[in-house]
Amino acid sequence: MKTLDDLLSEGVSGRRVLVRADLNVPLDGDRITDDGRVRASVPTIKALVDAGARVLVAAHLGRPKGEPDPRFSLAPVAERLGELLGQDVAIGAEAAGDGTVVLLENIRFDARETSKDDAERAALADELAAKADAFVSDGFGVVHRKQASVYDVARKLPHYAGGLVLAEVEVLRKLTDDLQRPYVVVLGGAKVSDKLGVIKNLLTKVDRLLVGGGMAYTFLKAQGHEVGGSLLQADQLDQVRGFLAEAEERGVELVLPVDVLAAVDFAPDAQFEVVATDAIPADRQGLDIGPKTRELFAAKLADAQTVFWNGPMGVFEFEAFSGGTRAVAEALVKSDAFTVVGGGDSAAAVRALGLPEDGFSHISTGGGASLEYLEGKELPGVSVLDEDLLAGSSGGTE
């Protein structure tokens, strides 16, 4: 697999380089609320700029329906990227002069980007390839997608792995091929259904699995507890009962909350009380793990040598219900383990809560890609960079 360093050693001055970055940031109107992914894209882009390349960046934002939509314009991202690079970043369609950066408008404004039709994606990839002399894949958050600007264009241009993609894959390999035990995984977030595959695979690898967030209530219900108005996926109960049985059979310690903050409604100022998980009132819903669970989870993390965390423990966006997520994050900061924050809401929570990013071994930029790798799936945007892996590549288009 050729890397950015290989491309730079070949010389890029005056050459047009297409970079696929992950700039899918959260917006409040046209204000970026978390620029972590933009900042993560800077080192690769800057290295190319400093070497005199004509850089054209492709990226997406949100889920436009295959046509232009001003709500999903990358204009705010271009402005922020320019601030971080210390130079103007224009939105355009073609690479400009040496050492300049041009950002293509949201690549998902073109329906062919996410098409399941190989020919349609290839046609868009042909158009992208005509604008460049080389391709650098540096958007780890999208490498699990078999899309035109991620996968197909790499088949049409000399292709290189960017520094971010290389770093992310190296970290994930430490979680699969070079494990130090005890290996503890903390999973949170809203839905069990989003993590079925990864839970199934992790039960064959981990020593401990801690489950919090909205998904915990389906586990609690599967154990026979009433969960009131808490988030529940009743259609997943049989699947979760199977996980509980498999964990016991394999000797995996599966740890669930013992208390929660039970609120009267879903609101930042909702009244709540701390209740045991076997005593959640029918008219209340759990919005965060409770103080005893925070202590329990911290204790279960204390002797870990490797930790992967994906998903908040509660509604961290509401200050009153952010304490559980903070407690897990602070336990990882204090840990001597190799700690990986698995992107998505977990990474956003670390920044929103003002925690030191250097307190973790690695904060991933790609939650979905990280989970699919840990699920045992191949990442098409990575495999296409290595011809030896290309024959077996597969992946989703959503």
Side-chain angles (χ1 to χ4, degrees):
M1 183 186 297
K2 288 189 175 182
T3 70
L4 175 65
D5 287 343
D6 293 321
L7 175 59
L8 293 172
S9 69
E10 294 169 11
V12 294
S13 181
R15 296 177 67 190
R16 302 169 303 161
V17 180
L18 175 65
V19 177
R20 184 33 161 119
D22 180 12
L23 303 177
N24 187 27
V25 294
L27 293 177
D28 180 4
D30 60 359
R31 183 179 67 87
I32 297 173
T33 58
D34 180 3
D35 69 352
R37 284 176 170 167
V38 185
R39 287 187 285 112
S41 74
V42 167
T44 288
I45 296 172
K46 183 167 176 50
L48 290 165
V49 166
D50 290 347
R54 302 181 177 191
V55 181
L56 185 65
V57 181
H60 77 278
L61 181 65
R63 293 177 179 268
K65 298 180 179 179
E67 59 186 24
D69 185 333
R71 295 175 301 164
F72 300 110
S73 172
L74 281 167
V77 176
E79 181 178 355
R80 181 58 180 145
L81 181 58
E83 291 172 353
L84 293 167
L85 288 169
Q87 66 184 83
D88 289 339
V89 173
I91 289 188
E94 303 286 341
D98 297 359
T100 62
V101 180
V102 174
L103 177 61
L104 289 171
E105 185 54 283
N106 194 332
I107 193 69
R108 288 190 181 174
F109 284 176
D110 191 319
R112 295 173 297 173
E113 165 70 0
T114 58
S115 175
K116 294 182 180 180
D117 185 294
D118 290 349
E120 289 183 355
R121 291 198 322 274
L124 175 56
D126 282 336
E127 294 175 16
L128 292 172
K131 301 175 186 291
D133 305 305
F135 172 69
V136 175
S137 176
D138 205 46
F140 180 74
V142 291
V143 294
H144 58 313
R145 305 303 191 196
K146 195 173 184 180
Q147 296 178 347
S149 69
V150 178
Y151 175 83
D152 299 88
V153 74
R155 306 185 73 173
K156 299 177 182 296
L157 286 171
H159 47 264
Y160 306 81
L164 180 59
V165 164
L166 282 177
E168 294 271 12
V169 171
E170 180 180 345
V171 165
L172 289 176
R173 283 177 176 161
K174 285 187 179 180
L175 296 178
T176 53
D177 302 333
D178 188 24
L179 269 177
Q180 300 296 311
R181 296 185 181 276
Y183 177 26
V184 182
V185 170
V186 186
L187 292 181
K191 297 180 179 179
V192 177
S193 56
D194 291 340
K195 297 183 170 76
L196 290 176
V198 75
I199 294 172
K200 184 176 180 63
N201 199 44
L202 285 173
L203 286 175
T204 69
K205 301 179 184 302
V206 301
D207 300 297
R208 251 175 246 138
L209 178 61
L210 316 185
V211 179
M215 63 187 292
Y217 300 100
T218 302
F219 278 82
L220 292 168
K221 183 71 171 179
Q223 287 186 326
H225 300 305
E226 292 304 320
V227 296
S230 305
L231 187 63
L232 173 66
Q233 288 189 282
D235 61 334
Q236 301 297 329
L237 286 171
D238 286 343
Q239 179 74 66
V240 169
R241 291 187 186 103
F243 289 152
L244 292 167
E246 184 175 355
E248 183 174 5
E249 180 181 337
R250 291 182 177 277
V252 173
E253 190 177 0
L254 201 159
V255 186
L256 298 174
V258 295
D259 62 346
V260 299
L261 305 190
V264 295
D265 56 14
F266 187 88
D269 57 352
Q271 295 181 346
F272 67 89
E273 61 181 326
V274 178
V275 301
T277 48
D278 60 359
I280 299 175
D283 62 346
R284 301 228 173 190
Q285 56 184 299
L287 296 186
D288 195 12
I289 57 174
K292 290 183 179 178
T293 302
R294 297 171 196 179
E295 292 179 4
L296 172 64
F297 281 15
K300 296 297 182 182
L301 290 164
D303 67 341
Q305 292 300 303
T306 304
V307 181
F308 176 80
W309 169 37
N310 180 276
M313 297 295 99
V315 188
F316 76 92
E317 299 90 345
F318 298 163
E319 184 176 354
F321 305 106
S322 64
T325 301
R326 178 181 291 277
V328 166
E330 289 179 343
L332 297 190
V333 170
K334 294 175 184 176
S335 173
D336 293 327
F338 179 72
T339 54
V340 178
V341 180
D345 286 341
S346 308
V350 167
R351 291 186 280 267
L353 296 173
L355 296 166
E357 294 187 39
D358 60 2
F360 306 88
S361 304
H362 182 73
I363 298 179
S364 178
T365 57
S370 297
L371 288 175
E372 291 205 9
Y373 189 96
L374 294 181
E375 189 177 333
K377 290 184 176 179
E378 192 170 87
L379 306 179
V382 173
S383 64
V384 74
L385 302 177
D386 190 329
E387 298 301 329
D388 292 334
L389 297 175
L390 183 58
S393 64
S394 63
T397 57
E398 295 181 1

